[in-house]
Amino acid sequence: MRVLYTIGIWFYTFGIRLVAFFGHEKARQMVKGWNQWPGQVSKLSSDAPTAWFHAASLGEFEQARPVLEELRRRHPDYQVFVTFFSPSGYEVRKNYAQADAICYLPMDTPRNASRLLDAVKPSVVFFVKYEFWYNYLCMLRKRGIPTYIFSTIFRPNQYFFKWYGGWFRRQLKSSFAHLFVQNEESLRLLKGIGIGQCSLAGDTRFDRVHQIAEASESNDVVEKFLQGYDGKVLVGGSTWPPDEEIISHVRECNNGWFPGRIILAPHVISEEHLKQIESLFPDSVRYSVLAGMNGSTSKVLIIDNIGLLSKLYRYADVAYIGGGFGVGIHNILEAVTFGKPVFFGPNYKKFQEACDIIVRGGGWSIGIAKELEDELKQLVTAPEVFRKSSQACTDYMSENLGSTEKILSTIEI
């Protein structure tokens, strides 16, 4: 089975190289990164122990950060090595100051795995959420390097739990010193296939967004936008065109109750997308433009840069989280940690926190504009409903902090 798996990796690698040759930007970045990893690894000292963290992309890296940073605080003698699979993670965090070396993960072939481990010589390894690279895991196991995975979720429809999943189950059982899962179902599924080295630790993103909220500072440009306004504010985070169209439609059709100020932080900040948003919201101003002005009468602020969103939810009364009409919603916890009720599209069921917050009364999934109109109107016009929803968010966050401590108190270093 491992041979078939490796053949599949070779075909996948060939596919990425092929589309990179024809100009696909993300594929081109990956191929370039694969060739550069030896130079990055050379920054590591051979005299110090190394903790290796691997995250697929930016979201998983944010889950890794609380564990990484606390481990570094507790064990200052350790150096930290970080790998990414996706350009959307590496390109944003390639200069992350808490890591001694950062690179793309070479594709999961036996040769690459052996070369990387020979060069890095990790003392301990952490994979985040869904990262199961079996040649790497096999090499780590053979070398006796303790390997952990955290903030992971398992579901009955995954191949581990199918009749044909025997080889994958064996790899899962033998590869990890411990598996830290997010929910009770994952724990039950793992124990059901004979994996005992697992425990419920929750999601480290709670710890991460709490850190962000605690360190959040005011933003002069946003405060300039809101100066003299004392009504409700809606922040749309990581929005896509379907999200923006729904917000625009409800705003146009309301009879005065809709939040009078909107801050939109689109997921894609291409010029084409920004112009689409401006056509939907003619009374908008871009963040970069407002930064150079004394003031503005605009009622919609478009965030045309990256890195600000998590700090902007502090200005919201309610938040709309994008992505729910595509592959899945983006991070709702960045808003929930500030006690902000959240709305999002229908594709949310793979996100435990979204399911939880709906049950608690702090969030709503909407499929059409009318649903957003009905739920949002009730929320912003009824103070008691708003108070209860906000408190539900605050309570949910408080009850789920501490994942980092559960993980670090269990691992052996």
Side-chain angles (χ1 to χ4, degrees):
M1 186 64 188
R2 187 182 174 193
V3 173
L4 292 177
Y5 169 81
T6 302
I7 291 172
I9 292 293
W10 283 337
F11 275 110
Y12 184 66
T13 305
F14 174 77
I16 292 177
R17 292 186 181 276
L18 183 64
V19 296
F21 178 79
F22 286 102
H24 189 281
E25 180 60 21
K26 284 191 174 182
R28 187 190 65 78
Q29 290 174 330
M30 290 180 71
V31 172
K32 182 180 178 181
W34 293 340
N35 297 329
Q36 293 177 337
W37 73 262
Q40 294 297 317
V41 170
S42 68
K43 298 177 182 179
L44 296 171
S45 169
S46 59
D47 298 327
T50 301
W52 172 22
F53 287 81
H54 174 68
S57 191
L58 184 60
E60 289 78 11
F61 175 71
E62 291 301 309
Q63 289 179 298
R65 281 186 68 169
V67 178
L68 185 161
E69 292 173 4
E70 181 61 15
L71 182 144
R72 181 146 213 172
R73 188 188 69 81
R74 296 184 185 187
H75 302 279
D77 56 317
Y78 268 73
Q79 56 190 348
V80 171
F81 173 54
V82 174
T83 55
F84 288 96
F85 176 78
S86 166
S88 61
Y90 175 80
E91 295 301 328
V92 176
R93 293 290 181 242
K94 59 186 177 184
N95 297 316
Y96 173 60
Q98 293 277 7
D100 297 281
I102 305 173
C103 67
Y104 283 91
L105 181 74
M107 287 304 290
D108 187 25
T109 64
R111 180 173 180 269
N112 283 343
S114 182
R115 288 180 65 207
L116 186 70
L117 293 181
D118 285 344
V120 176
K121 297 180 176 60
S123 305
V124 63
V125 179
F126 298 91
F127 284 49
V128 185
K129 201 168 184 177
Y130 296 132
E131 292 299 276
F132 305 106
W133 297 107
Y134 295 105
N135 284 314
Y136 280 104
L137 290 172
C138 179
M139 292 289 182
L140 289 165
R141 181 175 68 248
K142 286 182 177 179
R143 298 181 185 210
I145 301 170
T147 303
Y148 302 88
I149 189 166
F150 60 84
S151 291
T152 189
I153 296 177
F154 292 94
R155 299 182 180 88
N157 61 355
Q158 289 174 310
Y159 51 80
F160 301 110
F161 312 106
K162 300 295 186 181
W163 63 268
Y164 52 81
W167 183 79
F168 297 103
R169 287 192 289 272
R170 289 192 294 273
Q171 301 309 305
L172 199 62
K173 185 174 184 177
S174 62
S175 296
F176 293 104
H178 203 90
L179 299 92
F180 299 95
V181 300
Q182 286 193 32
N183 57 29
E184 291 284 357
E185 181 186 42
S186 298
L187 199 62
R188 177 181 58 79
L189 287 168
L190 288 178
K191 291 185 175 180
I193 57 173
I195 296 177
Q197 73 278 21
C198 57
S199 61
L200 179 64
D203 187 347
T204 52
R205 283 183 305 163
F206 286 91
D207 294 341
R208 176 59 188 150
V209 298
H210 181 69
Q211 288 176 348
I212 293 172
E214 289 287 296
S216 180
E217 299 177 351
S218 61
N219 183 291
D220 292 341
V221 177
V222 175
E223 296 198 352
K224 184 191 302 183
F225 171 70
L226 297 175
Q227 187 175 9
Y229 175 72
D230 60 358
K232 292 286 192 294
V233 177
L234 182 145
V235 172
S238 296
T239 57
W240 294 81
D243 306 305
E244 293 141 8
E245 290 165 8
I246 282 185
I247 293 171
S248 174
H249 179 79
V250 176
R251 183 189 187 217
E252 290 175 359
C253 296
N254 86 95
N255 58 359
W257 57 264
F258 195 88
R261 294 292 184 273
I262 301 173
I263 300 173
L264 289 176
H267 187 71
V268 176
I269 56 172
S270 65
E271 185 63 23
E272 179 183 5
H273 190 193
L274 294 175
K275 287 181 177 178
Q276 288 177 351
I277 298 173
E278 288 171 332
S279 69
L280 288 172
F281 302 92
D283 56 345
S284 62
V285 61
R286 297 190 187 187
Y287 182 93
S288 60
V289 174
L290 182 58
M293 300 169 60
N294 291 325
S296 174
T297 58
S298 300
K299 296 182 179 179
V300 179
L301 178 63
I302 303 172
I303 308 300
D304 56 354
N305 55 34
I306 61 174
L308 286 180
L309 178 58
S310 62
K311 302 177 181 65
L312 297 182
Y313 288 115
R314 69 194 301 260
Y315 294 104
D317 290 286
V318 294
Y320 181 105
I321 311 301
F325 291 92
V327 296
I329 62 172
H330 296 287
N331 191 348
I332 73 168
L333 295 180
E334 291 178 336
V336 172
T337 192
F338 285 101
K340 312 301 182 180
V342 289
F343 294 85
F344 40 83
N347 192 357
Y348 70 90
K349 294 183 180 177
K350 289 185 177 181
F351 301 85
Q352 184 67 44
E353 67 277 12
C355 299
D356 291 342
I357 206 67
I358 288 175
V359 172
R360 300 237 180 177
W364 295 265
S365 171
I366 55 98
I368 58 175
K370 185 64 168 62
E371 292 176 348
L372 177 61
E373 179 181 357
D374 291 345
E375 298 293 352
L376 181 58
K377 182 178 181 180
Q378 182 183 28
L379 182 67
V380 301
T381 60
E384 184 60 21
V385 174
F386 182 86
R387 187 195 65 78
K388 288 182 178 179
S389 298
S390 179
Q391 189 63 48
C393 293
T394 300
D395 292 344
Y396 180 60
M397 283 299 304
S398 298
E399 293 167 15
N400 285 279
L401 295 175
S403 180
T404 299
E405 178 57 35
K406 291 177 182 177
I407 293 167
L408 291 178
S409 65
T410 302
I411 66 170
E412 297 180 5
I413 290 184

